[in-house]
Amino acid sequence: MRYPTGVFALCFLAWGASGVAHEAPHAGAKHTAAPVPNVPKASRQAVLPARKDGLWEVLVRSDDLVLKRAGRGTPQPVTVRQCTSAAVEPIMLMSIVPGQEDCHERKVLRRGKGAEAGHDIITVCYVHDNRVDTQMRLLGDLQSTYHGSFEAKFPKTPLHNTGRMVFEGRWLGDCAAGQRPGDMLLPNGVTVNVVDDHRRAQNADHSGHKH
């Protein structure tokens, strides 16, 4: 499987390893409630922190020091808007990180105090037969703002390692009319539903791939 590079392509990979973008129904259409995500058994013991319900704006950009040393160009920042709820937040929180659909290990460690209080999140996931090792540092109250960084490494395809990515999130209020939990508005104006894409990717991986 070929992985795209650059922040913009990286985010599309994160939003659906199956490569299928699901356009959300138009405003005014009837929506069904998003189902509770199918969280891998190994990760149920590691409860992820959760943001406040509603609409979040998240900026993701590259800390380009690693990329410059590798002679790669600096990707452009990407801003998305995410509609989340308690039921879908375990998927939505990690949706800016590539390759999180089929995770077999997840550790969540509390760190720091005061302004430095937060969480370290470590995952071992797979995109088909390709392992993805991720480390995320998450800081902030998750009620109005938060920030942090992550790095994803692909041992079989190291050219697709992300380097250090940084992100900032801010709460905008309630989700917009017509949005449902799991919807994410991309920079090109297309809305995808991360929960739907996550489920499709899991079904594809479980149908014939072994780790």
Side-chain angles (χ1 to χ4, degrees):
M1 178 178 181
R2 183 177 179 274
Y3 297 93
T5 57
V7 173
F8 193 79
L10 164 67
C11 287
F12 272 96
L13 172 61
W15 299 327
S18 63
V20 179
H22 167 74
E23 290 196 21
H26 296 292
K30 185 177 180 181
H31 300 299
T32 57
V36 176
N38 180 21
V39 180
K41 182 177 181 181
S43 69
R44 289 182 181 140
Q45 297 176 359
V47 178
L48 288 169
R51 297 171 297 177
K52 183 178 181 178
D53 288 5
L55 187 63
W56 287 86
E57 184 176 80
V58 184
L59 169 69
V60 183
R61 60 182 175 82
S62 171
D63 180 346
D64 63 2
L65 293 178
V66 172
L67 298 180
K68 283 183 177 179
R69 284 197 293 268
R72 292 162 60 185
T74 303
Q76 295 299 309
V78 171
T79 300
V80 298
R81 290 190 173 186
Q82 301 177 321
C83 174
T84 193
S85 68
V88 303
E89 180 63 359
I91 292 174
M92 290 297 287
L93 180 66
M94 300 296 291
S95 62
I96 60 173
V97 182
Q100 299 299 295
E101 289 79 15
D102 185 16
C103 296
H104 291 238
E105 298 178 30
R106 180 180 290 158
K107 296 179 181 178
V108 179
L109 308 172
R110 291 187 177 274
R111 66 176 307 275
K113 295 181 179 180
E116 292 300 314
H119 299 81
D120 288 328
I121 302 170
I122 302 168
T123 67
V124 177
C125 308
Y126 290 83
V127 179
H128 299 290
D129 292 327
N130 294 275
R131 176 170 169 151
V132 186
D133 295 304
T134 301
Q135 291 189 336
M136 173 186 277
R137 178 155 292 180
L138 184 64
L139 305 171
D141 62 10
L142 301 182
Q143 300 300 300
S144 58
T145 61
Y146 67 97
H147 65 282
S149 63
F150 70 82
E151 183 172 358
K153 296 182 178 180
F154 298 80
K156 287 187 177 181
T157 54
L159 287 178
H160 301 297
N161 293 351
T162 64
R164 184 174 182 267
M165 309 295 294
V166 296
F167 55 85
E168 303 170 8
R170 65 187 182 103
W171 189 71
L172 300 180
D174 294 335
C175 294
Q179 286 184 317
R180 61 186 178 116
D183 279 355
M184 177 152 46
L185 178 63
L186 306 182
N188 63 356
V190 173
T191 295
V192 298
N193 190 279
V194 175
V195 175
D196 292 345
D197 289 345
H198 184 278
R199 188 187 308 112
R200 280 194 291 266
Q202 280 194 325
N203 290 340
D205 272 337
H206 293 161
S207 64
H209 294 277
K210 298 181 180 179
H211 307 306

